Amino acid sequence: MSGDQASHAGHERALYLRWRPRTFSQVVSQDAVTRTLRNAVARGSVAHAYLLCGPRGTGKTTLARILYKALNCQQPADGEPCGACAECRDADAGRSMDLIEIDAASNRGIDDMRALRERVRFAPTQARTKVYIVDEAHQLTQPAWDAFLKTLEEPPPHTVFVLATTAAHKVPPTIASRCQRFDLGRIPQSRIAPHLALVAEQEGIALEGGVAERIARLARGGLRDALAMLEQVAAFAGPIVTLEAALQVLGLVRGDALRAYVDALAVGDSRRALEVLEDIAQEGADLRQFADEVLFDLRGALLMRAGAGTALTADLPAEEHEWLRDVAGRLAPMRIASLLRAYSEIVSATLDDSQLLVRLELATTSDWSLDPDIAPGAPHPHAEPLSDSGSAGEPSPDEPPSARAGGEEARPSSTPEAAMVPPPASTGLTLAHVQARWPAIRSRFQGSLLDKLRLDRLAPVALEAGVVTLTGKLDSLELQQVASSTGRTIEAILTEEFGRELRVRLDNRSDPGVLPAEEGPGSLGEYAAMLFGGQLVTNES
Ligand SMILES: [Zn+2]
């Protein structure tokens, strides 16, 4: 936060700024970090540089500000700032000259770091210790890091650097190794909800049961976001916030509708799930938000299934934990994984509302509609491998909506080889389908002769998450040329051929003439080699 935002008076300031923790003990949930920093201040053993890593809204810059106050407070107690002395009050009001916050997103170049180097040579104006906060530190350019490294190598006295980042892996090791690092975790729902209730009470906002819990859940571990949502809800609903009003503002579906939907998925009752989905759509809920919440529950179920349920215990209310355990018990891990993939694709795709509803309906009904033998409520036998199956809810590759045949080969179903292609898994497109159509796809390609010759030497060897991996006897320069000249065209043909968006990745590590090790005789790999393996060898020159 910039200084002028923090200096607005009273209720004009955002709720999360007014409720920003002012002492280490007020920080919600980051107990290990606050204890360590507080002890360091009390013992006079504060490091020259700290690296605070963690998701947004978990308290990184807040901790840096408290550290500044603790180091400069005139009457500190056990490493805690008093909050009342001139130094503490100046810092809280954003007036301190020696608490310098640099937003690396907009000051990321070498000149900014050189200016910083000049600046750190001067002793603090009033305070005992200057604190520089470099927020979004991962945004710095390499020359800026190099300049900053020189500063860190000869740390000026009376100066502490705090680098805050959401992407610790982008901080150069030479920098990170000179910092004391703290990882700030997402704040558990079970800590956010009571904090919201406390803030609401102090602010004179009455929250109906369930409101704090739903906001806490939606905030995904970020307290700042949670407080911003609380403020948004209260601004709409007034001093008494009903669950209905909160759900409306946040575009959420009722908790019981969400659970009814997930419960129906868990027992394979697509008809029931579809009914719930239609109700939700009728009510005008934000469908992307809904898909995101389903995703959240499915992820929880997967963790439960994987035996990592204890990781959730701290995060979820006991009752929700119990419900998720129940859901997880009814879903095979592979089924959870395929559902997860389907919903994460929906959440990350750019779709308008009507497309979104169709995709959700497809994901909801995929097993049921493609597999009429499975009665609603029956256990699901599907345990499709993760490696080469597409996502649930995709159209079957046998019925591409826009199949435009480029020649006879484009209809492999009329050839004897096609009979060997296994029927599509309920989740849709598999590598075998792409491999079976590959000759047709190649024949549709309209490019230069050279490009065609290169393409003839490539073959699909993997399909994962909508990405087809092509490999072949091309050197890396040729692969680069394929990628730049024909990659997009192949993607377009694939997408048209299978009626779903597919991307292409070129890989020169493996040789398609050699079958992948895990595929033995009689496997799809052998079949694929039979289909076009000979061609690959003869084209080699
Ligand atoms: Zn003080």
Side-chain angles (χ1 to χ4, degrees):
M1 282 312 103
S2 64
D4 56 357
Q5 261 177 292
S7 65
H8 285 303
H11 279 228
E12 285 166 34
R13 284 196 297 158
L15 195 61
Y16 75 86
L17 285 176
R18 275 185 279 134
W19 281 87
R20 192 169 216 180
R22 293 174 173 217
T23 62
F24 287 123
S25 60
Q26 284 175 0
V27 173
V28 177
S29 177
Q30 312 293 1
D31 305 342
V33 184
T34 52
R35 194 170 51 240
T36 310
L37 283 176
R38 195 178 150 176
N39 286 342
V41 173
R43 290 180 195 145
S45 59
V46 171
H48 284 294
Y50 290 95
L51 178 59
L52 302 183
C53 317
R56 53 182 262 117
T58 50
K60 298 182 293 294
T61 56
T62 294
L63 277 170
R65 285 160 175 271
I66 298 171
L67 177 64
Y68 170 83
K69 285 197 293 178
L71 287 169
N72 291 292
C73 177
Q74 289 154 7
Q75 299 154 300
D78 286 337
E80 282 278 29
C82 74
C85 70
E87 290 297 341
C88 283
R89 278 186 284 119
D90 278 355
D92 283 338
R95 284 195 303 260
S96 179
M97 301 278 290
D98 297 311
L99 173 62
I100 299 124
E101 190 163 339
I102 299 155
D103 179 8
S106 47
N107 303 280
R108 55 201 302 265
I110 183 166
D111 291 340
D112 297 302
M113 279 301 129
R114 282 197 183 127
L116 177 69
R117 258 187 97 189
E118 288 303 307
R119 207 169 158 182
V120 297
R121 288 167 44 211
F122 298 103
T125 331
Q126 305 165 301
R128 290 193 295 270
T129 307
K130 275 203 232 187
V131 171
Y132 288 89
I133 305 172
V134 183
D135 199 12
E136 304 292 335
H138 58 273
Q139 302 259 20
L140 291 180
T141 60
Q142 188 57 49
W145 281 123
D146 293 342
F148 187 60
L149 181 60
K150 293 193 182 115
T151 308
L152 275 189
E153 279 169 344
E154 306 150 25
H158 315 297
T159 304
V160 173
F161 294 98
V162 179
L163 305 180
T165 181
T166 50
H169 60 281
K170 291 186 185 161
V171 176
T174 47
I175 300 283
S177 65
R178 286 176 168 80
C179 299
Q180 187 173 347
R181 173 174 171 162
F182 290 113
D183 288 281
L184 281 73
R186 290 183 192 281
I187 304 166
Q189 276 185 53
S190 54
R191 298 287 295 270
I192 292 182
H195 187 72
L196 288 175
L198 174 81
V199 169
E201 194 192 323
Q202 300 282 314
E203 294 279 328
I205 304 165
L207 297 184
E208 197 179 276
V211 172
E213 288 73 17
R214 277 314 278 284
I215 294 177
R217 184 189 150 107
L218 201 60
R220 300 282 190 276
L223 192 54
R224 187 169 63 207
D225 287 348
L227 287 168
M229 282 188 258
L230 175 64
E231 185 162 41
Q232 197 186 346
V233 165
F236 170 82
I240 298 169
V241 179
T242 62
L243 185 56
E244 201 186 325
L247 297 183
Q248 197 183 337
V249 176
L250 300 170
L252 294 178
V253 303
R254 287 170 288 113
D256 56 343
L258 178 66
R259 286 198 187 182
Y261 180 82
V262 175
D263 278 333
L265 281 185
V267 297
D269 187 349
S270 303
R271 205 181 301 268
R272 170 77 187 128
L274 201 56
E275 283 169 8
V276 178
L277 178 61
E278 300 312 317
D279 283 349
I280 288 167
Q282 282 285 318
E283 285 172 18
D286 180 338
L287 291 176
R288 190 176 305 277
Q289 191 78 65
F290 170 70
D292 193 48
E293 290 206 273
V294 173
L295 196 60
F296 182 81
D297 284 337
L298 289 171
R299 183 181 154 269
L302 186 70
L303 286 177
M304 290 275 187
R305 263 296 188 169
T310 46
L312 292 170
T313 316
D315 199 28
L316 300 178
E319 179 265 344
E320 188 168 356
H321 196 260
E322 202 52 43
W323 171 74
L324 258 187
R325 184 195 304 281
D326 187 49
V327 167
R330 294 188 215 167
L331 282 165
M334 283 305 182
R335 168 101 175 114
I336 303 177
S338 72
L339 284 169
L340 263 177
R341 188 157 354 83
Y343 284 92
S344 61
E345 273 191 17
I346 292 172
V347 168
S348 57
T350 45
L351 302 166
D352 66 33
D353 278 358
S354 60
Q355 291 171 319
L356 203 55
L357 181 58
V358 171
R359 290 288 293 272
L360 278 169
E361 285 167 344
L362 275 169
T364 305
T365 57
S366 58
D367 280 10
W368 167 58
S369 59
L370 292 172
D371 227 337
D373 290 344
I374 296 176
H380 278 261
H382 302 306
E384 59 276 0
L386 282 172
S387 57
D388 62 355
S389 63
S391 66
E394 294 301 337
S396 156
D398 283 349
E399 309 161 56
S402 58
R404 199 190 70 206
E408 277 188 16
E409 275 183 303
R411 287 283 171 204
S413 55
S414 63
T415 66
E417 289 94 328
M420 294 177 67
V421 181
S426 64
T427 49
L429 192 61
T430 66
L431 175 62
H433 296 115
V434 178
Q435 290 177 331
R437 298 273 186 101
W438 185 243
I441 290 162
R442 273 192 329 213
S443 72
R444 282 181 58 183
F445 178 76
Q446 305 284 323
S448 74
L449 185 62
L450 192 63
D451 284 339
K452 278 188 175 174
L453 286 174
R454 286 192 188 121
L455 190 56
D456 281 349
R457 286 193 274 154
L458 287 172
V461 291
L463 169 61
E464 201 165 5
V467 178
V468 176
T469 303
L470 298 178
T471 191
K473 295 193 170 176
L474 297 177
D475 62 36
S476 53
L477 180 65
E478 286 175 304
L479 276 173
Q480 264 179 25
Q481 286 163 341
V482 171
S484 62
S485 65
T486 61
R488 304 293 300 173
T489 315
I490 302 167
E491 283 178 352
I493 297 174
L494 281 168
T495 299
E496 203 180 333
E497 190 77 20
F498 296 107
R500 58 168 289 189
E501 197 163 315
L502 288 169
R503 301 223 326 277
V504 163
R505 193 174 75 87
L506 294 164
D507 186 354
N508 66 346
R509 279 171 300 175
S510 58
D511 178 347
V514 180
L515 292 178
E518 68 272 18
E519 293 186 313
S523 69
L524 292 177
E526 191 182 47
Y527 166 64
M530 189 194 77
L531 262 188
F532 47 74
Q535 222 167 335
L536 281 165
V537 175
T538 52
N539 277 351
E540 190 192 356
S541 53

